[in-house]
Amino acid sequence: MPTKTSRRAAVAAASTPDTAPAAPRVKRDRTHYLYLAVIAAVVLGIAVGLIWPDAGVELKPLGTGFVNLIKMMISPIIFCTIVLGIGSVRKAAKVGAVGGIALGYFLVMSLVALTIGLVVGNILHPGDGLHLTNAIKASGHDQVSSDALPPVDFVLSIIPTTFVSAFTEGQVLQTLLIALLTGFALQAMGSVGQPILRGVEHIQRLVFRILAMVMWAAPIGAFGAIAAVVGSAGLDALKSLAVLMLGFYVTCVLFVFVVLGTLLRVIAGLNIFTLFKYLAREFLLILSTSSSESALPRLIAKMEHLGVSKPVVGITVPTGYSFNLDGTMIYMTMASLYIADALGTPMSVGEQIPLLLFLLLASKGAAGVSGAGLATLAGGLQSHKPALVDGVGLIVGIDRFMSEARALTNFAGNAVATVLVGTWTKEIDKIRVRQVLAGELPFDETTLLDEGVQPHAEIPEQGGEKELAKA
């Protein structure tokens, strides 16, 4: 008579071939062809801009159109991310703590970036010996933008006209405000709000799938953007300003790899090169489009995949894109000193510090303005030191090239900030971080979401996502 053990073995052996679930097929990532195409498009765009500069300038709408397609997705992605993050957290105080820590960190790092730019600018003095023409003066005044708001008006502009206009006007901070209110309201509704949360979750999947489709237009956008930049500026425009450009690039590199790299190693225990390798495709996208906003949706998705909780990502990343502009801070510092030297009116340290603190505030009022770096610089100088506005025309020719480093530095600063805030608030899964950075948990480029994948370890006080899944 067969024993109970043998019967179990026989049943298991008989059922295994037919009933055992097959291992899930690993989806082949074909998106690496997309980014190889982006690299080829950048090279081709540079060639077209140099050989046929007029034709290159005419290709600018290709780059503008692609960036606009990405911007079209930013508001719904921010809304869904923040609503899901806050709505699934029990304690509202946790969200407030994340926001407070993030804003405090942004202020400190902005001051650090200003200080570094101040030191390098006073050492290099790149504007000495330049001459200002009437055409350059006129070009400088043309950059003064009326879109840059004074601090009080800027705060009031965060409040949208209607609930829906926050999405239609493309203002990140307006979307952030609406998403915060909606998230807290759903949090207060408790179980009654769970169906709404599930609906928002489905909308998020749809939005990220649309974004993945839009990304296939990246090579066309990169080709048009680079061809237009090279065709309009050419090589001659860069020679006289090489010192400023190189000084700015070196300063950004030092800030990112020395300051941010040290903070990331000491606080989070991570190597900044490993993190940037994980974000390599986003850096390439920014480099080819000269816009850090083009990578904002992907940064949100990748930081969540890395293991940072939804509330931290949803609050830190969108807020950082308005308040954590490290590259812009360095740019405004060095550009102001450059212009003052070029006009033959170098500023003393006592004059530099008040101007730069004013520009620090002015940059917040110009968040989201197209060409914000140059527009903010011109508007800040017009308000605080009008005599220097004439010199803004000196850097118009190379501003687009400097905006590359601005955008890359801003993006790097926000990526590092998200990890640091997650570490300080204990809202990061360190085991998952190591797995992701080691390549054991690859990012799904098709959906940009971790569908059905749970973090390796539980995050303290973060049960909302599991409760949402059960509901």
Side-chain angles (χ1 to χ4, degrees), residues 418-437:
T418 306
V419 176
L420 295 181
V421 173
T423 302
W424 283 323
T425 57
K426 296 182 173 59
E427 289 288 322
I428 187 170
D429 186 341
K430 295 184 178 180
I431 296 177
R432 183 181 175 89
V433 170
R434 289 195 292 270
Q435 290 176 327
V436 170
L437 295 183

Side-chain angles (χ1 to χ4, degrees), residues 97-258:
V98 170
I101 291 172
L103 287 175
Y105 170 81
F106 294 158
L107 177 60
V108 171
M109 294 313 297
S110 294
L111 291 173
V112 170
L114 282 174
T115 303
I116 292 176
L118 193 69
V119 172
V120 175
N122 279 293
I123 293 174
L124 291 181
H125 292 289
D128 289 344
L130 291 179
H131 301 286
L132 201 65
T133 65
N134 290 331
I136 290 178
K137 289 182 181 181
S139 178
H141 283 279
D142 288 341
Q143 302 306 315
V144 179
S145 173
S146 59
D147 293 332
L149 302 173
V152 175
D153 292 339
F154 167 64
V155 173
L156 291 176
S157 71
I158 297 175
I159 304 173
T161 306
T162 67
F163 190 94
V164 179
S165 66
F167 302 95
T168 59
E169 294 179 4
Q171 297 293 330
V172 172
L173 291 181
Q174 289 185 0
T175 307
L176 180 63
L177 175 62
I178 292 297
L180 287 171
L181 293 175
T182 304
F184 282 124
L186 288 172
Q187 185 183 70
M189 290 169 66
S191 59
V192 178
Q194 292 299 324
I196 302 176
L197 280 176
R198 286 199 298 272
V200 174
E201 191 174 14
H202 289 306
I203 294 174
Q204 185 190 48
R205 288 196 184 97
L206 172 64
V207 170
F208 273 116
R209 182 57 65 96
I210 295 173
L211 176 65
M213 294 165 60
V214 168
M215 289 305 302
W216 285 98
I220 299 174
F223 171 70
I226 293 296
V229 171
V230 176
S232 60
L235 295 178
D236 293 337
L238 308 181
K239 293 178 182 177
S240 63
L241 298 162
V243 175
L244 175 62
M245 283 185 61
L246 290 175
F248 177 58
Y249 273 67
V250 169
T251 306
C252 289
V253 169
L254 290 175
F255 176 80
V256 170
F257 292 102
V258 176

Side-chain angles (χ1 to χ4, degrees), residues 54-99:
D54 292 338
V57 173
E58 294 298 321
L59 294 172
K60 184 177 180 181
L62 294 178
T64 303
F66 174 71
V67 173
N68 288 343
L69 280 173
I70 298 292
K71 288 182 177 180
M72 174 183 74
M73 310 306 300
I74 289 177
S75 288
I77 286 175
I78 289 175
F79 178 80
C80 293
T81 302
I82 294 177
V83 169
L84 288 173
I86 296 175
S88 60
V89 174
R90 287 183 176 180
K91 297 180 180 179
K94 182 193 294 185
V95 179
V98 170

Side-chain angles (χ1 to χ4, degrees), residues 1-20:
M1 185 173 180
T3 63
K4 185 182 291 186
T5 304
S6 62
R7 284 200 303 270
R8 286 179 180 170
V11 171
S15 62
T16 298
D18 298 320
T19 61

